[in-house]
Amino acid sequence: MITYGYAPFKEIKHLWKSPEMWGDDQFKSVSSMKYFDGINYFGGNDLGVYENYNSSPQFLAAIHKGFHIGCVSIFNVSADKVRVSDTGNSVRFRGLYVAPEYRGRGISEELLQLAIRQAKKREADFFWALAGPNSTHVHQKVGFYNVTDKMHELPDGNYSHHKNGYMRYDL
């Protein structure tokens, strides 16, 4: 039986080290990247998210026989839920991963649904992700839609080793 719940970052960090995710220890539990709606990039980096009390990150895990086999995280885009556009306040989704031997069982969808419920509790207007090539279809299954094409060069000037695209879920 697979259960779902909260997990401290240190307990899911090993999943994020997968080469399919970041593959090293250089990543952080949150990202300062801002939202891009396909036309407008809502500015630079929000370094305030690195203060966990500002971004309030939550790490959600799928657990089987006491082992973390999947994860996803959400966090506030800014300390004061600053409006990133005329569309309202947002919560960022990041780090969807399921161990290869557990894929195809609906775990990603369950994790995303749990994350969506948590984002609603934060009273956000929308939930966004920078989805990689292996997770776009899962996002679409639960109601996310594409706002950009897949790209290596990101609007903040960084370059991603995966071809990612911005996706959005209206809450």
Side-chain angles (χ1 to χ4, degrees):
M1 176 180 197
I2 297 171
T3 59
Y4 299 87
Y6 300 107
F9 180 63
K10 65 182 179 182
E11 291 181 12
I12 58 101
K13 189 174 180 180
H14 71 281
L15 298 172
W16 281 26
K17 287 184 179 182
S18 164
E20 292 177 81
M21 293 291 283
W22 291 279
D24 61 27
D25 285 323
Q26 300 305 309
F27 59 85
K28 296 182 178 173
S29 61
V30 295
S31 170
S32 63
M33 182 178 290
K34 297 252 183 130
Y35 180 65
F36 178 54
D37 69 4
I39 300 169
N40 301 300
Y41 177 53
F42 296 97
N45 292 301
D46 178 5
L47 301 181
V49 302
Y50 293 123
E51 301 297 330
N52 284 349
Y53 63 88
N54 285 339
S55 58
S56 301
Q58 285 182 305
F59 304 95
L60 310 169
I63 304 160
H64 184 247
K65 296 182 180 180
F67 295 98
H68 293 88
I69 59 162
C71 63
V72 66
S73 73
I74 68 169
F75 60 93
N76 295 340
V77 173
S78 70
D80 300 314
K81 290 206 255 181
V82 173
R83 295 178 90 66
V84 295
S85 72
D86 291 336
T87 58
N89 302 317
S90 69
V91 170
R92 169 94 190 262
F93 146 84
R94 186 170 183 241
L96 178 63
Y97 181 80
V98 174
E101 61 271 26
Y102 290 93
R103 293 179 185 165
R105 300 183 192 187
I107 296 169
S108 293
E109 292 93 332
E110 288 292 328
L111 286 167
L112 282 173
Q113 291 293 352
L114 179 58
I116 288 166
R117 288 191 297 274
Q118 293 304 312
K120 286 179 179 178
K121 289 180 182 178
R122 293 175 183 228
E123 300 178 355
D125 298 310
F126 69 99
F127 190 37
W128 64 275
L130 186 62
N134 296 329
S135 64
T136 300
H137 69 287
V138 174
H139 289 78
Q140 289 170 334
K141 279 184 180 180
V142 300
F144 279 82
Y145 59 92
N146 295 342
V147 294
T148 70
D149 291 330
K150 300 289 184 196
M151 58 189 135
H152 280 292
E153 188 174 335
L154 301 173
D156 66 355
N158 286 318
Y159 186 82
S160 174
H161 64 280
H162 296 299
K163 205 168 185 182
N164 300 309
Y166 282 81
M167 298 187 82
R168 178 178 168 139
Y169 181 99
D170 294 319
L171 296 168

